[in-house]
Amino acid sequence: MRANPSKLPGMRRQPRQARSQERVNQILDVAEQMFIAEGYNATTTKAIAARAQVPIGSLYQFFPDKEAILQALATRYTEQLHQRFTKLHAAEITNLPLSTYVERVIDATNQFFTDYPGYHAIFMQVQGIMSELEAIETTVDVQLIRDWASYLSQRYSNWEHADYDAIAFVLVKAIGTLLWLSLSQEKSFRQHLVAETKRLTLSYLQSYFPDSLTRSN
Amino acid sequence: MRANPSKLPGMRRQPRQARSQERVNQILDVAEQMFIAEGYNATTTKAIAARAQVPIGSLYQFFPDKEAILQALATRYTEQLHQRFTKLHAAEITNLPLSTYVERVIDATNQFFTDYPGYHAIFMQVQGIMSELEAIETTVDVQLIRDWASYLSQRYSNWEHADYDAIAFVLVKAIGTLLWLSLSQEKSFRQHLVAETKRLTLSYLQSYFPDSLTRSN
Amino acid sequence: MRANPSKLPGMRRQPRQARSQERVNQILDVAEQMFIAEGYNATTTKAIAARAQVPIGSLYQFFPDKEAILQALATRYTEQLHQRFTKLHAAEITNLPLSTYVERVIDATNQFFTDYPGYHAIFMQVQGIMSELEAIETTVDVQLIRDWASYLSQRYSNWEHADYDAIAFVLVKAIGTLLWLSLSQEKSFRQHLVAETKRLTLSYLQSYFPDSLTRSN
Amino acid sequence: MRANPSKLPGMRRQPRQARSQERVNQILDVAEQMFIAEGYNATTTKAIAARAQVPIGSLYQFFPDKEAILQALATRYTEQLHQRFTKLHAAEITNLPLSTYVERVIDATNQFFTDYPGYHAIFMQVQGIMSELEAIETTVDVQLIRDWASYLSQRYSNWEHADYDAIAFVLVKAIGTLLWLSLSQEKSFRQHLVAETKRLTLSYLQSYFPDSLTRSN
DNA sequence: TATGAATGAGACTTCATTCAT
DNA sequence: GATGAATGAAGTCTCATTCAT
């Protein structure tokens, strides 16, 4: 159903030879590091090319402009996220208690942010850089929301009045933001934040179960 | 972009004369609009000065550099937010049911985003622009988190094992992100998102009440 | 733009195979269109190759560099002009009244400019592109001037003190310039210009006839 | 009736201070030389700035882009030409024999080309560079044609069926082209060309006098 | 103090030409 | 021979900031 995973949109030329593909990855890796370290605007195409050991002309043969590098990075993240989600839920789909499920999901997300520090770091900036609508479509989370909405609607098809898309949106964005922000907090506070994120998620999901009646303070 | 060797945070000079204060506000208003419309980087100091009808030289008397305008904008938001929070809670501190309280808070936050569209729009971009730690300190939310943590710890001092700072952090960031993102969604989905944000908040806070026991899926 | 160290004038290889000749013509046709439409400098060799459906590598087998394409174009024009001139004068050499001869020549020239709009359009630009002397030699008109001087010196060998080369030069350049410039004028003014060009030519040639005595204003 | 002569269109800023005006002239002088020597395209803005001893940034403060320099140069030529024409005809308007008038005009034009070698050299190239219509309006000759048409229509108001605009166009363009091209010819041929240009002009003008009847060859 | 002309490093991108396959 | 990916010097123009007036 998905497009060929190795087809990065925004790329000028589809490298067919190993050397080209290698170069594209070099460029992407370097760009990722530099975007994180210096910011998108402060990173020059010349510097990316230099650090990637690729002539600037070649860089522009693969990517029509600087923004296309960002696009390609986004696509790469999307693929990685989708894979992780699929793998996790393939295992998780069995009947685990909700609290355990939440635990696992948050931990996995946390791990993802550690493995790919650029994920949020880069795409926060991008909001104000790309043309508005494009940016929204580009937002890497879109695929993840789709995945999660699909999972929830299958697993908990009995929830009433549930808009699975909205729920998935809320989960992805809230968890994503909180865990990402937690990364730059002091260790002790960071742990609290992770714990609170789990509680937030759990209580939110629980609220959808029939026996979860309204309570007052 | 020449670096400023004597980098002073905030404003260079506290204008004491009415005309100066007026000019500073002019500049801030114009900068806010332009940062939203064009992005921080694409907005030139010259353009700000021109639209604000202030000579570029004068602009640089009030603000040591471009970033200082952002700082000043952040400060202004912080003050506005603090005021709103205080006003709201001054009234709200009376014993409203939690669900009503949540309702009011979310609606007020929503209103704030409508009144000050620059709030999130601008500070999302800024992450990658400012030096990392500085950016975090600058984040306007800091004051709001402080306010809310303080409020919660007074109001619900009986919660056990509660880290009010973490709770406030989670609330501010989750609510802020979700409502802000909801702004750019289609009306119908937007309304769902707001409703879900209320549910998220409510169930999270409820989870702190003693009678809120664990339930399985 | 790397200079070509072994600069060969004209074409690198005389294509002997039909396919090659076809490709060369394709290239020339496309180059002609693009030079007119976009200008010589704005037209890239890659674009010419692409539109001509010829690999860029092959283009460079036929033409040592971009300028050689211009040269080849010039040569092609020269041949076409020479043919037309010959054909016209083969018929015209009979004893037509001078006014009729002028009429026919101007009309034919006009037709040529319509048929080959690149003729002047391209070679005006070239002045500033090619090295000075080369440019002059390249000027396509050279052959035409030779043809005309030869014709005049045979037909009007009785003219005294006549420098047929200079006369032909004057005729070719004046007529060429005026008719070419007339092309971009409004229709009504254009017609006046053509008529004036005829008058200019006729009165100039008439001035060489013995009975054409000096008159005062 | 004409706009302020010191107002060069295409300029970004009207220099009010002596130093600025000096710089603009510096830039224009240097650009003129380089456009002649290397061609418009081969001349870089950086090189102009360097040779004019003006920072590149300042150059761009006076001229929005490279083409504006050409425009300014055109305007400068137009003014100079207009002045010369006016001066010459102020004296010439007295009743000189036509042949003498022609002699004087051609000689003066020749002198102009010697004094301002860039006049034709530059604007020949420009045809294919500027946007079409703009180029035509820009062409420096426009003012000269206007001047001459005006002069002729006053002096020879008795000519019948005469379109003074077309006549002036023909004269300016034919004389201009021939004399300019003569510059790059060998001395002896050059002299013939100048003589022929005079003959061309004289016989053309004479053809407008009543007693100038049609003659056959 | 107020002004705005001056500065120049550096950003992004292009393109004629080559040469390994 | 035929191909087209690779190359990198060089081009135009921007803009935050300063400082002489």
Side-chain angles (χ1 to χ4, degrees), chain A residues 41 124 155 163 169 173 177 181 184 192-193 196 199-200 203-204 206-209 212 215 217, chain B residues 41 98 124 136 163 169 173 177 181 192-193 196 199-200 203-204 206-209 212 215 217:
Chain A
N41 280 283
M124 287 278 90
R155 179 94 151 81
D163 179 335
F169 186 101
K173 296 299 185 182
T177 299
L181 290 174
S184 49
H192 277 146
L193 287 179
E196 290 303 311
R199 179 191 272 258
L200 179 79
S203 53
Y204 177 56
Q206 280 177 334
S207 80
Y208 269 101
F209 286 95
S212 163
R215 276 145 287 135
N217 62 333
Chain B
N41 278 284
L98 186 61
M124 286 279 90
I136 286 161
D163 179 335
F169 187 102
K173 295 301 185 180
T177 299
L181 290 175
H192 278 147
L193 288 179
E196 290 303 311
R199 180 189 272 257
L200 180 79
S203 52
Y204 177 56
Q206 279 178 335
S207 80
Y208 271 100
F209 286 94
S212 161
R215 273 143 291 135
N217 63 330

Side-chain angles (χ1 to χ4, degrees), chain A residues 145-189:
Chain A
I145 292 172
R146 221 175 282 147
D147 286 341
W148 216 341
S150 155
Y151 167 76
L152 291 174
S153 64
Q154 285 181 247
R155 179 94 151 81
Y156 301 111
S157 53
N158 59 321
W159 284 355
E160 286 180 11
H161 311 301
D163 179 335
Y164 296 100
D165 287 329
I167 296 172
F169 186 101
V170 164
L171 288 171
V172 167
K173 296 299 185 182
I175 294 173
T177 299
L178 291 170
L179 291 185
W180 179 60
L181 290 174
S182 79
L183 288 179
S184 49
Q185 307 296 320
E186 286 175 38
K187 189 172 181 182
S188 148
F189 189 54

